[in-house]
Amino acid sequence: MADPEQTISQLHASALGQLELADTIEAVEAVRVDALGRKGKLNEISKEFGKLTPGERKHIGKLLNTVKQDLEARLEARKAALETVALDARLASEWIDLTTPAPGVRPGHLHPVTQVQRELEELFVSLGFAVLDGPEVESEYYNFDALNIPADHPARDMQDTFWLKDGRLLRTHTSPVQVRGLEMLGPPLKMIAPGRVFRNEEVDPSHEHTFYQLEGMMVDRDVSVAHLIYFMKTLLSAIFHREVTVRLRPGFFPFVEPGFELDIQCLICGGTGCPVCKQSGWVELLPCGLVHPSVLRYGGVDPEEWSGFAFGLGLTRLAMMRYAIDDIRLFASGDLRFLKQF
Ligand SMILES: [Zn+2]
């Protein structure tokens, strides 16, 4: 073999040269494996020991150990130095100045349905209406019976809901507040009752198990369909910020007589026909009518003396129309990316 002493000192020098250039912990590790690893260059030399005399073997072995120890120490030192540099860099980049003022509480904002609700409340209060609240867990009596919907009435099937074990239910509409309002305040009465309602529905882009309505009712002497139309036009012009044209079509709802479907002339096409109004020029918006005499009686009011109109506005539906939202499920999704747009 070549002069082992010379080979060792060459390997030593070359390893130190590489170490000088190693500027990452990984690079230092590579130098260590190359020089000192089990298959490293210095260990290769040990394999040639058989060819040496005992005297040479002792001398070379000692030299080899010295070189290994020296390299080991220098590798460790280099590694420690690099770790310090990395830590300093991290501290510099992650340093936080605790004396700068905090960014403060991010202002939140109201849910789009709440915004529409508050706007309508303000409008109705300005027209002299009271804003009433009713329980979301309602009795069968107020939700159905007192609204002229007896147990065998088909309207009950259209309003399937969630029943509690004690016989109460999650209200299917805000209409129970009509009777509660009459009982509590008596006529003359102008009231609205916005709130959350529930249906046991197959959920899809236009149906939810939980949504919002706004009930409205006016009971006074000689209230007619003309009053109803006037208030509806005022309401809808305020909502859509422009004059709207409405029409009434006969519609059947047990708690009104006569009952109507109120349509507005399509705001997209102005009545000439488009996909939104299915080419008809009209969009179905809300059920309404004159309060059924039975409902007045349930509320303790004499229908010979008093009459009234009532309407049920889908607040969620209205918010969808106003903001052109095509999936009702977005409202309760809790997705901030959606909510932040309003
Ligand atoms: Zn249209």
Side-chain angles (χ1 to χ4, degrees), residues 44-336:
E44 291 295 313
I45 291 173
S46 314
K47 291 177 187 167
E48 310 284 327
F49 274 20
K51 296 171 186 167
L52 301 173
T53 66
E56 283 174 325
R57 206 178 296 162
K58 190 177 175 196
H59 171 63
I60 297 299
K62 207 174 162 193
L63 178 65
L64 202 54
N65 274 336
T66 311
V67 167
K68 280 183 176 176
Q69 278 165 18
D70 177 63
L71 276 178
E72 203 72 69
R74 286 168 190 264
L75 284 161
E76 279 311 310
R78 181 82 181 135
K79 223 170 174 173
L82 286 171
E83 275 165 359
T84 307
V85 170
L87 182 64
D88 285 349
R90 236 185 83 188
L91 287 175
S93 69
E94 294 177 6
W95 184 78
I96 295 167
D97 184 357
L98 292 174
T99 63
T100 47
V105 180
R106 275 175 303 163
H109 69 281
L110 296 172
H111 190 280
V113 172
T114 311
Q115 290 179 35
V116 173
Q117 178 181 328
R118 297 262 173 103
E119 225 175 275
L120 291 181
E121 285 177 8
E122 225 166 274
L123 170 74
F124 276 100
V125 166
S126 78
L127 294 170
F129 282 63
V131 181
L132 303 186
D133 204 2
E136 289 174 359
V137 174
E138 188 52 282
S139 69
E140 192 178 352
Y141 172 77
Y142 281 112
N143 195 80
F144 291 123
D145 298 287
L147 291 167
N148 208 24
I149 312 172
D152 56 354
H153 198 286
R156 288 212 183 190
D157 296 333
M158 289 157 62
Q159 297 193 6
D160 187 18
T161 187
F162 306 95
W163 292 80
L164 277 69
K165 282 182 177 160
D166 64 7
R168 288 184 299 164
L169 51 88
L170 296 187
R171 66 177 179 184
T172 58
H173 45 189
T174 43
S175 306
V177 189
Q178 286 187 22
V179 176
R180 286 181 174 278
L182 284 173
E183 283 179 349
M184 192 170 64
L185 301 169
L189 176 63
K190 285 193 285 183
M191 54 148 273
I192 57 165
R196 189 153 45 173
V197 301
F198 310 86
R199 299 280 171 92
N200 186 7
E201 295 241 41
E202 204 70 54
V203 170
D204 66 27
S206 50
H207 296 89
E208 253 289 22
H209 49 71
T210 304
F211 52 99
Y212 288 80
Q213 285 186 344
L214 184 143
E215 193 76 11
M217 184 174 71
M218 174 179 173
V219 174
D220 209 324
R221 293 175 204 279
D222 302 321
V223 171
S224 70
V225 174
H227 292 98
L228 172 64
I229 294 174
Y230 167 77
F231 275 101
M232 291 302 99
K233 282 192 76 163
T234 306
L235 163 70
L236 296 170
S237 299
I239 291 170
F240 295 108
H241 304 297
R242 65 180 113 163
E243 195 72 27
V244 296
T245 308
V246 303
R247 74 172 183 193
L248 294 178
R249 282 180 298 121
F252 176 73
F253 310 97
F255 39 97
V256 285
E257 177 59 42
F260 305 102
E261 290 277 9
L262 183 137
D263 301 337
I264 58 168
Q265 200 163 59
C266 180
L267 297 173
I268 311 290
C269 64
T272 54
C274 73
V276 172
C277 58
K278 298 186 188 101
Q279 307 304 331
S280 72
W282 297 90
V283 176
E284 189 178 312
L285 195 63
L286 58 87
C288 55
L290 296 184
V291 182
H292 197 285
S294 298
V295 175
L296 291 173
R297 265 186 228 107
Y298 275 114
V301 175
D302 181 2
E304 299 297 322
E305 200 180 337
W306 305 93
S307 54
F309 68 76
F311 62 91
L313 185 65
L315 274 183
T316 307
R317 163 96 59 96
L318 201 60
M320 289 176 80
M321 283 179 59
R322 160 148 342 148
Y323 299 116
I325 295 161
D326 57 8
D327 192 333
I328 192 173
R329 295 170 295 187
L330 287 166
F331 287 108
S333 65
D335 190 336
L336 290 177

